[in-house]
Amino acid sequence: MEVTIERILPGGLGLAHAEGQTIMVALAAPGDRLRVRIDRVKGNVAFALIEEILTPSPHRVEPPCPYFGRCGGCDFQQMTYQAQLEAKSEIIRDCLRRLARIENIPDFQINAAPNPWHYRSRAQWQYDAVRQKLGYFESGSRQVCDVAECAVLAPELQNTLESLRTRMQQGSLRGSARDFRAVVGDDGISIAPPLNGKLADITRTIRGEAYRLNAESFFQANDGLVPQLIETAVAEATGETALELYCGVGLFTLPLARRFKSVIGVESDAAAVSFARESLANAGLKTAEVVNRDVGIWLEDVKRGDLSRLSEKSAAALRGPIDFVLLDPPRTGAESRVIAGVLGLEPQRISYVSCDPATLARDLKKLLAGGYALRSLAAFDMFPQTHHVEVVAHLESNS
Ligand SMILES: C[S@@+](CC[C@H](N)C(=O)[O-])C[C@H]1O[C@@H](n2cnc3c(N)ncnc32)[C@H](O)[C@@H]1O
């Protein structure tokens, strides 16, 4: 079947229509004329693979990585970097229009990564001890694609991958491990599971703030854009009381603690909470407190008036007006009860940091219906060569 790719959809597939069917094509570029083979059909959508590029899109380039197409890690290498940025902006607009039903989407910029290659300072590699493979899952499968050199890894992590590979070849890599995670710090690299001894805690300094973490912590993966992401997320935030939901190891908590009299962070991962508290203490920041609790449950506690997990000072702050809520949930977005809980607190401003425009749009729809206006948007290309994109949405109360 022959198709022309109209545009790139959320999820990264190319959209085409032919023979009365909607067709989604992997690894396509907008404008490509392709011969495709239908791989599977779901409802009224056919998913197809490229058999032949009949006329390449003007935005098409030769993917430089030898594993491209087999490795499930990157799905945008076939496009120029400019085309990747445009596709991501269109994906964001598409989600906001279709899923959030926003008519007047504010103009927004997508911040390009300073390095579209070799940017990843945190990575996870799959390990198949039986077949002696180390790399990433193949696309659409749980088979490990054996990757000797990865074009998006920071040089330090490429070295780490190589040393793990050497150990694998020498038979000294732990056979029971399913995967390895690694993160770069100012003071070395943390690898989980540790190769010998204890999991190493490291420090990463960003905008002058020193964050403690290790390879099991969530941390933003693209150093080149993190300072701008922080600046944008907390940009207009000042006042008495701020709430930060899904605060991780405290990436935004430290900058917020410098701007507000009282900051309450909420995070379910106990290790991340310890790191956030350690970094706040090291910085001498006493204005912030981090609660180890599921965000949805904690907001329900608060709604019932149960503030027992907070210090007297934070409990008193929470009884007063909330100036600012920052939320940065995982890819699945915020649960309905979290959105309901945030609305119940009636903050003046909300900053929603998201790594999935679809769940962001779903949650924005509820926040807009709950009395907030979308004031501005900013996008950050934290993950060049993939369809993933980070978005910050600023909302303000209509009342
Ligand atoms: C996208 S990360 C953001 C972390 C932090 N803001 C950062 O940028 O480093 C999401 C965080 O939410 C935490 N998390 C996930 N589900 C949660 C829940 N239901 N309640 C509280 N925290 C949760 C994860 O452990 C993770 O640290």
Side-chain angles (χ1 to χ4, degrees):
M1 174 188 287
E2 292 187 8
V3 300
T4 301
I5 301 300
E6 297 159 25
R7 62 194 169 90
I8 305 297
L9 295 172
L13 300 178
L15 173 71
H17 291 92
E19 300 174 12
Q21 270 184 305
T22 299
I23 298 153
M24 297 196 189
V25 187
L27 312 181
D32 270 346
R33 180 87 192 137
L34 305 167
R35 189 163 63 244
V36 300
R37 170 172 58 81
I38 307 283
D39 179 47
R40 65 196 164 90
V41 177
K42 200 171 159 200
N44 49 13
V45 177
F47 293 86
L49 302 173
I50 300 175
E51 283 208 314
E52 189 186 346
I53 299 168
L54 301 171
T55 315
S57 153
H59 309 294
R60 181 170 271 283
V61 288
E62 190 57 38
C65 172
Y67 309 100
F68 183 74
R70 198 153 49 83
C71 172
C74 293
D75 58 356
F76 264 22
Q77 286 191 20
Q78 74 282 9
M79 281 186 262
T80 63
Y81 189 49
Q82 189 54 37
Q84 294 182 27
L85 295 174
E86 282 162 21
K88 293 184 194 197
S89 298
E90 188 46 42
I91 285 171
I92 295 165
R93 279 192 289 270
D94 182 20
C95 289
L96 295 179
R97 214 180 293 121
R98 238 174 359 95
L99 306 174
R101 304 255 172 244
I102 300 174
E103 298 289 335
N104 299 315
I105 299 166
D107 281 341
F108 66 91
Q109 263 213 329
I110 179 158
N111 293 275
N115 298 318
W117 301 99
H118 304 295
Y119 62 84
R120 273 203 87 104
S121 53
R122 189 170 73 95
Q124 179 176 13
W125 301 298
Q126 306 302 326
Y127 174 44
D128 182 339
V130 176
R131 293 178 188 80
Q132 289 283 283
K133 288 182 177 182
L134 183 67
Y136 304 97
F137 283 134
E138 291 186 356
S139 59
S141 121
R142 293 263 139 181
Q143 296 285 324
V144 178
C145 179
D146 198 44
V147 171
E149 197 179 335
C150 171
V152 296
L153 286 181
E156 299 92 323
L157 287 193
Q158 175 61 37
N159 291 341
T160 307
L161 178 62
E162 284 168 21
S163 62
L164 289 173
R165 174 167 301 283
T166 304
R167 282 172 180 258
M168 177 175 81
Q169 286 159 349
Q170 291 168 344
S172 60
L173 205 52
R174 199 199 286 202
S176 60
R178 293 266 183 86
D179 60 25
F180 288 90
R181 273 156 288 159
V183 64
V184 181
D186 308 344
D187 47 353
I189 289 171
S190 174
I191 303 176
L195 300 181
N196 30 38
K198 198 171 158 279
L199 179 62
D201 295 348
I202 54 160
T203 300
R204 267 271 279 288
T205 306
I206 297 169
R207 287 171 83 251
E209 304 287 8
Y211 297 95
R212 299 286 290 153
L213 68 146
N214 66 29
E216 285 178 347
S217 317
F218 173 88
F219 206 75
Q220 300 290 343
N222 189 337
D223 279 358
L225 281 175
V226 180
Q228 285 110 295
L229 176 73
I230 297 173
E231 236 133 75
T232 305
V234 303
E236 291 160 34
T238 48
E240 300 279 318
T241 306
L243 189 58
E244 193 201 346
L245 307 176
Y246 312 93
C247 69
V249 299
L251 186 72
F252 302 110
T253 324
L254 273 72
L256 286 175
R258 297 192 188 278
R259 290 167 169 258
F260 285 84
K261 284 206 176 132
S262 181
V263 178
I264 302 162
V266 186
E267 164 63 47
S268 59
D269 178 51
V273 170
S274 299
F275 282 130
R277 288 175 182 159
E278 188 183 344
S279 302
L280 285 163
N282 290 346
L285 290 166
K286 297 196 170 74
T287 44
E289 176 171 344
V290 182
V291 180
N292 186 192
R293 189 92 163 136
D294 176 281
V295 166
I297 297 174
W298 184 78
L299 285 167
E300 286 177 354
D301 293 348
V302 171
K303 191 176 170 197
R304 280 199 318 275
D306 174 4
L307 304 181
S308 58
R309 283 168 192 272
L310 295 175
S311 66
E312 257 317 302
K313 178 181 159 283
S314 295
L318 206 53
R319 285 189 202 100
I322 313 280
D323 299 301
F324 183 67
V325 170
L326 188 153
L327 66 161
D328 181 10
R331 192 150 284 158
T332 46
E335 292 172 81
S336 294
R337 64 177 171 175
V338 170
I339 301 293
V342 169
L343 290 173
L345 291 170
E346 300 181 356
Q348 187 56 37
R349 285 194 300 269
I350 300 173
S351 187
Y352 191 136
V353 181
S354 161
C355 58
D356 184 341
T359 54
L360 170 70
R362 180 200 66 198
D363 295 347
L364 281 185
K365 189 176 180 196
K366 296 177 197 165
L367 291 168
L368 299 183
Y372 285 79
L374 178 58
R375 288 282 173 244
S376 65
L377 285 168
F380 297 84
D381 191 22
M382 304 294 278
F383 318 99
Q385 318 309 329
T386 80
H387 69 272
H388 296 289
V389 62
E390 195 85 9
V391 183
V392 178
H394 289 292
L395 297 104
E396 198 168 347
S397 168
N398 290 327
S399 52

